[in-house]
Amino acid sequence: PTVWGLIPSRKGSVRLPGKALRPLLGKPMVDYTLSAALSTPCFAKRWVFSNDPQVNALAKLRGLDIPPFERPEAISQDGVSSFETIRWFLKQFPLRELPDLMVLLQPTSPLRTAED
């Protein structure tokens, strides 16, 4: 089966602005999730879907996939569910390109490892 990993990171945290890029033990919090995705061999694609240019630049530098479309503000607001974000993301691809399985990798869960 084809498996994609999806890391949805949004810029507009209300309670903690810039949360994904805030340092945690010496590196940006989102970098832990990027590393776990890169270390997981089952992913055909490791997508980072963000409206934050700095997160996208870090992801691109690390070798992760950035979609050819931008994350719109409508699904980057506080209160938009992960399900809504995933659904919008997948609708941007032709049906024949979709994976058999999508794995959500929340960037706010930094202590996950590839083994998890």
Side-chain angles (χ1 to χ4, degrees), residues 69 84-95 98:
F69 47 84
E84 291 173 272
T85 302
I86 294 166
R87 181 174 52 190
W88 191 94
F89 178 85
L90 290 173
K91 283 184 175 184
Q92 307 316 300
F93 293 92
L95 191 58
L98 292 176

Side-chain angles (χ1 to χ4, degrees), residues 58-103:
L58 177 60
K60 190 179 278 190
L61 180 69
R62 298 288 312 275
L64 287 101
D65 301 291
I66 306 294
F69 47 84
E70 293 186 21
R71 183 173 175 163
E73 288 304 313
I75 60 162
S76 298
Q77 302 299 314
D78 194 39
V80 175
S81 71
S82 294
F83 177 78
E84 291 173 272
T85 302
I86 294 166
R87 181 174 52 190
W88 191 94
F89 178 85
L90 290 173
K91 283 184 175 184
Q92 307 316 300
F93 293 92
L95 191 58
R96 69 184 181 285
E97 292 180 18
L98 292 176
D100 298 309
L101 182 66
M102 172 72 81
V103 177

Side-chain angles (χ1 to χ4, degrees), residues 4 32 37 39 41 72 79 96 104 112:
W4 286 358
Y32 290 91
S39 298
R96 69 184 181 285
L104 175 65
R112 154 198 339 93

Side-chain angles (χ1 to χ4, degrees), residues 7 27 30-43 46 62 64 105-106 109-116:
I7 302 167
K27 64 182 189 176
V30 70
D31 202 33
Y32 290 91
T33 299
L34 302 180
S35 295
L38 286 166
S39 298
T40 304
C42 69
F43 294 136
R46 294 160 179 88
R62 298 288 312 275
L64 287 101
L105 302 168
Q106 291 283 26
S109 302
L111 302 181
R112 154 198 339 93
T113 65
E115 290 76 27
D116 295 329

